[in-house]
Amino acid sequence: MIIGGPASQLLAGRVAAILNETLALCDYKTFPDGESYTQIVTPLDDEIVIIQSTPTDQDLVYLLQLLDVCRDRRVSLVIPYFGYARQDKIFKPGEPMTARALATALNPFLQNGRVHLVNIHAPSIMAHFQCPIENLDATSLLAERIASLGLKDTVVISPDKGAMAMAKTAAACLGCDCDYLQKTRLSGTEVSTAPKEVAVKGRDVVIFDDMIATGGTMATAIALLRQQGASRVYLAAVHPVLTGSAILKLYRSGVEAVLATDTLDKGVSTVSVAPLIAKALRA
Ligand code: R5P
């Protein structure tokens, strides 16, 4: 039985359709005081799959509520987008390691369970879970979609060194060059940013990253690559968090198109990770 949390209903439906499993009917609402209410209306099977991204604090509460209902069952928990993954370290004294705190809160519900994440921002977070856990990689699904666009003389760019592994995987799928944007300090006040080795002039560029949040990282990268003569610039990201005016920033910077997956259900979520999740659940 597949249970779709409120942040992942469409994805849960797609996974249930691929696996030909029952999709549970659930009721989610918010009380007038802001508290969350959850009811799984369909009687539970012994083996349960819960699919719930956690982009907001309320989504975390819904996830805990679902896990509490299923506490006596064998649970496979899929968290396609794991919020707080960028709080994976203590950067300043007095700060929590929020990603660890969340794993600690989830662990008691997963004693007979397992967890599947998708392109977790910091793989070190996986060590805080006490059950089998895997990190699924949606890069090749995005690359396949890019391949269908018929781009010319393509180059894959990572906006920083951190996403270079993703860029390398994408470039291998596309059979093209890849590079990352490197900042070089010219003086105390001047910094220049450019691809470390590869020239982009006249070429179609695809920037790959794990997520787009405010859009600031990508907007800066798009503008830079356009200044350096890139022909068309596409974005491919696994998690379209897209806060505030992110999409406006990206299009104002001259992006040709934004492609993202349905780990979060947004207008740009045109590549589904459902086949990837279904395959992992079958294994
Ligand atoms: C950073 O390490 C991440 O991989 C993303 O590049 C970053 O979180 C994107 O954030 P924003 O869209 O707010 O620049």
Side-chain angles (χ1 to χ4, degrees):
M1 171 180 284
I2 312 281
I3 295 176
S8 300
Q9 296 191 39
L10 183 56
L11 179 55
R14 288 173 173 155
V15 172
I18 294 173
L19 294 175
N20 198 21
E21 293 287 355
T22 307
L23 182 64
L25 182 62
C26 302
D27 189 17
Y28 303 106
K29 56 190 180 202
T30 307
F31 285 116
D33 61 0
E35 290 185 352
S36 304
Y37 172 87
T38 290
Q39 184 193 11
I40 303 173
V41 181
T42 310
L44 293 181
D45 282 352
D46 289 339
E47 296 216 5
I48 303 283
V49 173
I50 297 175
I51 305 180
Q52 166 71 340
S53 283
T54 55
T56 68
D57 292 357
Q58 188 175 21
D59 287 312
L60 283 164
V61 174
Y62 282 126
L63 175 56
L64 288 169
Q65 290 178 328
L66 289 170
L67 285 165
D68 193 69
V69 179
C70 301
R71 65 195 171 283
D72 299 326
R73 305 296 203 279
R74 263 175 76 89
V75 172
S76 294
L77 172 60
V78 184
I79 312 179
Y81 171 72
F82 186 92
Y84 289 93
R86 290 178 292 178
Q87 294 191 34
D88 59 315
K89 293 188 185 74
I90 294 171
F91 297 94
K92 290 186 205 150
E95 287 180 352
M97 195 190 292
T98 311
R100 176 180 62 191
L102 297 179
T104 305
L106 298 173
N107 275 329
F109 296 104
L110 297 165
Q111 278 162 14
N112 298 314
R114 56 181 180 155
V115 172
H116 306 271
L117 307 172
V118 180
N119 291 86
I120 184 77
H121 177 72
S124 59
I125 293 168
M126 294 162 69
H128 302 304
F129 284 88
Q130 288 165 352
C131 62
I133 181 164
E134 72 170 332
N135 184 25
L136 304 171
D137 186 2
T139 309
S140 54
L141 293 173
L142 285 164
E144 278 164 25
R145 177 60 58 83
I146 295 287
S148 73
L149 300 176
L151 307 191
K152 302 259 171 345
D153 198 10
T154 311
V155 56
V156 169
I157 295 285
S158 158
D160 52 37
K161 230 175 172 174
M164 195 53 190
M166 219 186 143
K168 278 186 182 160
T169 304
C173 293
L174 292 163
C176 70
D177 293 338
C178 75
D179 203 351
Y180 67 92
L181 293 179
Q182 190 180 47
K183 273 189 192 159
T184 311
R185 182 154 294 282
L186 304 175
S187 70
T189 52
E190 267 184 303
V191 171
S192 95
T193 308
K196 190 163 180 285
E197 280 160 8
V198 171
V200 296
K201 195 168 169 44
R203 304 176 74 176
D204 283 338
V205 176
V206 189
I207 313 176
F208 270 79
D209 205 352
D210 62 335
M211 70 173 84
I212 309 173
T214 64
T217 304
M218 288 293 211
T220 306
I222 297 161
L224 261 160
L225 292 162
R226 302 269 300 157
Q227 275 162 22
Q228 287 163 14
S231 174
R232 293 176 294 183
V233 181
Y234 292 80
L235 300 189
V238 178
H239 309 297
V241 181
L242 301 176
T243 61
S245 305
I247 283 287
L248 291 180
K249 280 187 210 165
L250 301 176
Y251 277 87
R252 275 177 59 83
S253 301
V255 76
E256 191 72 21
V258 181
L259 303 179
T261 80
D262 56 359
T263 61
L264 294 167
D265 185 11
K266 300 283 168 84
V268 296
S269 307
T270 52
V271 175
S272 183
V273 293
L276 191 66
I277 291 172
K279 190 172 167 207
L281 291 171
R282 263 198 213 111

